[in-house]
Amino acid sequence: MRTQIINGRLIDPKNGVDGTLDLFIADGRIAAIGTPPPGFVAERTIDAAGGIVCPGLVDLSTRLSGIETELAAAVAGGVTSLACPPDTNPPLDEPGLVDRLVRRSAALGLARVYPIGALTQQLGGERLAEMHSLARAGCIGFSQAKKPVQDRLVLLRAMQYAATFGYAIRLQPQDYQLAADGVAHDGEVASRLGLAGIPVCAETVAVSSSLELARATGVRLHLARLSSAAGIALVRAAQASGDKVSCDVSIHHLHLTEADIGFFDSSARFDPPLRASSDREALRAAVADGVAAISSDHTPVDEDGKQLPFAEADPGATGLELLLPLTLRWANETATPLPTALARITSDPAAILGISAGALAVGDAADICIFDPEARWQVSADALFSRGKNTPFLNQELAGRVRTTLVGGRVVFGA
Amino acid sequence: MRNPQLNDAGELTHLLSTDGLPREVITQILDTASSFLEISTRDVKKVPLLRGKSVFNLFFENSTRTRTTFEIAAKRLSADVINLDVSRSSTAKGETLLDTIDNLVAMHADMFVVRHASSGAPYLIAEHLQRVGRDDVHVVNAGDGRHAHPTQGLLDMFTIRHYKQDFSQLTVAIVGDILHSRVARSDLHALAALGTGEVRAVGPQTLLPSALDKMGVRVCHDLATGLRDADVIIMLRLQNERMNGALLPSAREYFHCYGLTPAMLALAKPDAIVMHPGPMNRGVEIDSEVADGPQAVILPQVTFGIAVRMAVMSILAGN
């Protein structure tokens, strides 16, 4: 199938492309940009007038509670590649499970799924998982998801082992002992509402120790979902001194603060918690500077999991379909240029994951998102494809709507 | 954001917290309680204000004392009172909190008095009632986690007003485990709403929540500093499980540093009153000589508590 996408504003952050350029697709790949290759006859023409044509979005963390619905939600949100953390049920610690996930998702032909394998067996934090076998089955990195490695010696060994084969490790930096039974940022709101607090030092202690262990082992480290100004400052300093460390900030932490908990609103329960407005400003600055990428932290939670007192409610929110509009909102509020903003959800996460995605050079896979940056839509249960309908942005109007998503040159969403 | 305990006219429809409660509403409750105080001294201790109404005491966490005070208050208003010890019945069978509520609403409950171990649980119930269109059913928070115990906060305000009148001239010291105390939070918000001159929080760092200063509170780690020239001293109960561990080394050392002894009390104003939400740990947070002394108003607090709870229930039923 030969397809051409015409009249759109093509933005390819990685290759510094930004202009009204037509895109020509053949055999699932980008065949040419600007002018058609000799003898190119399009079987399908997509008119992108008034829209933006950019690489399909790459998401660093998507929980797939139901693979069909969530991958449909992904492409509806313009996401064409996503990393799935290993805290599935059962956890991704067996090559067979990874293989099945890869096959099932590939058969659907929607977004491409990149599994993150379990770092330790059963995510128990004690015995190393078979990383080499898991990598052969398709894992692109290893993590503990939200489970701690209680014994630092085990973490050191896990990093050494991963570094042996050049695998990347992702950690969510939160010291489980300092976080204890906390459910909200240890600050004004938690004090007022009588919620057990998670202090900022739960993050900084974990960031510091992870950075030290990564330095000692030379492993490539990604710190997932930073929440605090002090935590991001440590990563910023480590990057400046040449450490191989990356990090991301979720769309929720980019926009919300502890104040959004209001009167115990369980849709604002996140792990790590939403913190103070000064923390949010530091996270925004880090994303603007390229210190951090943006993730959807997509975590579908059903209604029963949220209709509970705040501390008992499940943390997390649906995010795949909000990744683009909330990135655009941040860019708009901070006057960040669109190509820079799009880099944070395309080429940057692709580089972090070490996958070939998030760019549209000739020869690249034709994974493409076409969106209308001005089109406004209301976030509602009906509008969302995801099984997770819970989000603090429910009933809000957001700008930025995906018109068409292509994976490997095939239209998988829209027209 | 709409305060879920007030209706569009600004009237009280639930009592969930003293946080965000306007001064006029607090004053209305305290004035109403004053008028009820006399009823409890009559031979026939009943008024018909809640006749025909059903008040459900829903205690997801055990508390015989608090439940009893609500039961007495409701009965003096002629309500039918149904006590449900939910901690041992439906939730143990897997029923969710909101399923329980729906069932009781179907039994024509008019008011829920809710005690729950989780902060915010009464808000969840109030929001659910609004969602299902039952604004006529009222919720009274009888203590949720560490968050709030508003009737206790209001009876504390009633007690202070009874003995001291003008809040703007007062220095109030709250001493002890403020971190885990719903009573302290309810007191802090009510004292702020009533324009209290100075409010001090006294305790070791391990027992004080962070960002207290942002709630307009002066934080004192030294008991003598905290008590000096105070008009009102509110002592908090120290739970047994917090006495020996990472929060405090021992009850003995706590008493040594933060226990209210006659010598410490002498630092406050000569007419200072000593309050305690009960039950007391004699020799842990308070010396018996102080607890039984002339400045203690701990038993009057209990009496006032009935009148305040009658006031809250009658106002809710009227709105």
Side-chain angles (χ1 to χ4, degrees), chain A residues 41-315:
Chain A
V41 178
E43 295 155 84
R44 177 172 199 163
T45 298
I46 298 171
D47 188 351
I52 309 263
V53 180
C54 73
L57 313 189
V58 179
D59 188 38
L60 288 164
S61 182
T62 298
R63 289 196 161 71
L64 298 169
S65 60
I67 193 160
E68 288 86 0
T69 56
E70 302 320 293
L71 292 181
V75 294
V79 175
T80 55
S81 299
L82 54 87
C84 167
D87 54 348
T88 44
N89 183 23
L92 294 177
D93 65 349
E94 282 280 338
L97 295 169
V98 174
D99 184 62
R100 200 172 68 176
L101 175 61
V102 170
R103 281 172 196 277
R104 277 186 66 199
S105 55
L108 290 169
L110 297 167
R112 302 176 200 268
V113 173
Y114 294 92
I116 307 288
L119 190 62
T120 59
Q121 292 178 29
Q122 293 293 311
L123 296 171
E126 288 172 359
R127 298 167 61 197
L128 301 190
E130 293 174 321
M131 291 187 225
H132 188 260
S133 310
L134 290 166
R136 284 168 54 117
C139 288
I140 56 155
F142 297 91
S143 114
Q144 280 290 109
K146 291 176 174 177
K147 297 277 175 33
V149 176
Q150 306 190 2
D151 185 337
R152 290 226 173 81
L153 185 59
V154 174
L155 186 55
L156 178 77
R157 298 289 185 238
M159 286 187 176
Q160 285 174 327
Y161 192 76
T164 304
F165 301 100
Y167 303 145
I169 281 192
R170 312 207 309 176
L171 296 172
Q172 183 172 327
Q174 182 162 285
D175 185 278
Y176 77 102
Q177 288 170 321
L178 291 173
D181 54 354
V183 294
H185 170 57
D186 187 21
E188 210 178 332
V189 172
S191 291
R192 181 167 63 81
L193 296 180
L195 296 171
I198 299 177
V200 165
C201 65
E203 179 163 297
T204 51
V205 163
V207 170
S208 299
S209 61
S210 304
L211 286 172
E212 286 299 333
L213 296 176
R215 272 178 206 130
T217 56
V219 78
R220 186 152 59 83
L221 176 66
H222 178 73
L223 295 170
R225 291 186 291 293
L226 272 285
S227 70
S228 71
I232 206 93
L234 289 169
V235 178
R236 191 185 278 274
Q239 286 181 351
S241 69
D243 285 345
K244 288 183 291 183
V245 60
S246 54
C247 71
D248 69 87
V249 171
S250 89
I251 47 174
H252 304 107
H253 292 81
L254 201 55
H255 286 283
L256 306 174
T257 68
E258 56 175 343
D260 289 289
I261 294 172
F263 297 104
F264 302 99
D265 182 354
S266 61
S267 75
R269 171 133 156 66
F270 287 98
D271 191 13
L274 299 171
R275 295 199 183 271
S277 57
S278 54
D279 292 304
R280 180 184 57 181
E281 293 321 304
L283 298 178
R284 289 182 152 217
V287 174
D289 297 346
V291 170
I294 301 174
S295 67
S296 80
D297 191 17
H298 180 76
T299 308
V301 176
D302 63 21
E303 197 62 20
D304 288 347
K306 287 289 186 185
Q307 290 292 344
L308 291 168
F310 189 88
E312 297 165 29
D314 293 336

Side-chain angles (χ1 to χ4, degrees), chain B residues 28-95:
Chain B
Q28 181 200 9
I29 294 168
L30 301 188
D31 291 348
T32 310
S34 292
S35 70
F36 284 140
L37 204 52
E38 176 265 333
I39 293 168
S40 303
T41 63
R42 293 184 198 166
D43 274 353
V44 179
K45 302 180 178 62
K46 264 193 198 276
V47 286
L49 287 169
L50 260 66
R51 181 178 290 161
K53 302 281 186 192
S54 300
V55 174
F56 281 67
N57 277 333
L58 262 178
F59 278 57
F60 295 90
E61 187 183 72
N62 284 327
S63 169
T64 311
R65 175 189 300 234
T66 304
R67 202 198 64 208
T68 305
T69 60
F70 274 101
E71 186 172 347
I72 293 168
K75 284 183 169 166
R76 289 198 179 150
L77 293 168
S78 311
D80 296 321
V81 182
I82 298 94
N83 288 316
L84 286 160
D85 185 357
V86 206
S87 59
R88 270 181 296 194
S89 58
S90 32
T91 43
K93 293 176 192 153
E95 189 175 57

Side-chain angles (χ1 to χ4, degrees), chain A residues 347-404:
Chain A
S347 49
D348 290 357
I352 288 168
L353 296 172
I355 60 174
S356 168
L360 293 177
V362 171
D364 284 345
D367 293 358
I368 298 165
C369 169
I370 305 171
F371 67 95
D372 183 342
E374 310 295 339
R376 305 184 72 84
W377 60 287
Q378 176 133 4
V379 182
S380 67
D382 289 342
L384 295 171
F385 284 74
S386 168
R387 250 164 63 169
K389 306 296 184 189
N390 261 293
T391 159
F393 295 94
L394 202 65
N395 300 323
Q396 288 194 30
E397 204 179 64
L398 298 177
R401 182 133 227 199
V402 175
R403 283 189 201 167
T404 311

Side-chain angles (χ1 to χ4, degrees), chain B:
Chain B
M1 204 175 307
R2 197 177 75 93
N3 190 324
Q5 58 189 338
L6 303 175
N7 65 17
D8 293 338
E11 298 164 334
L12 202 66
T13 52
H14 307 290
L15 180 67
L16 306 176
S17 166
T18 55
D19 187 6
L21 216 51
R23 185 183 191 141
E24 311 78 67
V25 173
I26 295 178
T27 306
Q28 181 200 9
I29 294 168
L30 301 188
D31 291 348
T32 310
S34 292
S35 70
F36 284 140
L37 204 52
E38 176 265 333
I39 293 168
S40 303
T41 63
R42 293 184 198 166
D43 274 353
V44 179
K45 302 180 178 62
K46 264 193 198 276
V47 286
L49 287 169
L50 260 66
R51 181 178 290 161
K53 302 281 186 192
S54 300
V55 174
F56 281 67
N57 277 333
L58 262 178
F59 278 57
F60 295 90
E61 187 183 72
N62 284 327
S63 169
T64 311
R65 175 189 300 234
T66 304
R67 202 198 64 208
T68 305
T69 60
F70 274 101
E71 186 172 347
I72 293 168
K75 284 183 169 166
R76 289 198 179 150
L77 293 168
S78 311
D80 296 321
V81 182
I82 298 94
N83 288 316
L84 286 160
D85 185 357
V86 206
S87 59
R88 270 181 296 194
S89 58
S90 32
T91 43
K93 293 176 192 153
E95 189 175 57
T96 70
L97 172 57
L98 296 181
D99 284 340
T100 304
I101 295 298
D102 285 339
N103 273 282
L104 298 177
V105 168
M107 296 175 201
H108 302 290
D110 295 294
M111 194 176 293
F112 292 118
V113 175
V114 181
R115 158 79 51 112
H116 200 285
S118 225
S119 298
Y123 280 80
L124 186 73
I125 296 171
E127 279 161 16
H128 178 71
L129 290 171
Q130 199 203 4
R131 204 166 34 241
V132 299
R134 293 305 303 265
D135 287 341
D136 55 319
V137 182
H138 307 287
V139 179
V140 180
N141 183 358
D144 61 329
R146 308 174 180 183
H147 170 240
H149 193 350
T151 56
Q152 178 72 42
L154 290 166
L155 82 85
D156 286 351
M157 297 310 109
F158 188 94
T159 308
I160 296 171
R161 196 174 79 157
H162 184 82
Y163 291 100
K164 296 291 176 191
Q165 281 110 29
D166 185 4
F167 281 84
S168 70
Q169 302 299 314
L170 295 182
T171 297
V172 178
I174 303 179
V175 183
D177 183 5
I178 293 169
L179 178 65
H180 301 97
S181 174
R182 50 195 170 210
V183 176
R185 282 180 180 79
S186 290
D187 284 341
L188 290 174
H189 293 301
L191 288 166
L194 294 172
T196 308
E198 182 173 311
V199 181
R200 300 173 186 164
V202 188
Q205 272 199 45
T206 48
L207 297 182
L208 297 180
S210 57
L212 256 186
D213 49 322
K214 287 182 182 153
M215 292 167 80
V217 176
R218 184 178 151 201
V219 175
C220 303
H221 297 307
D222 174 54
L223 182 62
T225 310
L227 294 183
R228 189 155 286 126
D229 297 325
D231 299 283
V232 176
I233 302 166
I234 301 174
M235 300 303 295
L236 299 173
R237 176 180 165 80
L238 186 69
Q239 302 286 349
N240 292 330
E241 66 267 25
R242 307 210 164 99
M243 287 182 201
N244 306 291
L247 293 168
L248 291 172
S250 69
R252 193 176 65 173
E253 180 153 308
Y254 181 76
F255 184 68
H256 183 69
C257 296
Y258 296 100
L260 187 61
T261 59
M264 278 293 165
L265 179 57
L267 296 170
K269 290 214 180 114
D271 63 345
I273 55 169
V274 175
M275 298 164 55
H276 193 296
M280 285 185 286
N281 287 308
R282 291 166 181 264
V284 176
E285 68 256 3
I286 190 163
D287 192 299
S288 277
E289 202 178 317
V290 174
D292 302 329
Q295 287 169 269
V297 296
I298 297 163
L299 291 175
Q301 281 180 272
V302 177
T303 307
F304 299 155
I306 306 284
V308 166
R309 288 173 180 128
M310 288 170 72
V312 168
M313 291 187 194
S314 66
I315 289 170
L316 288 175
N319 283 343

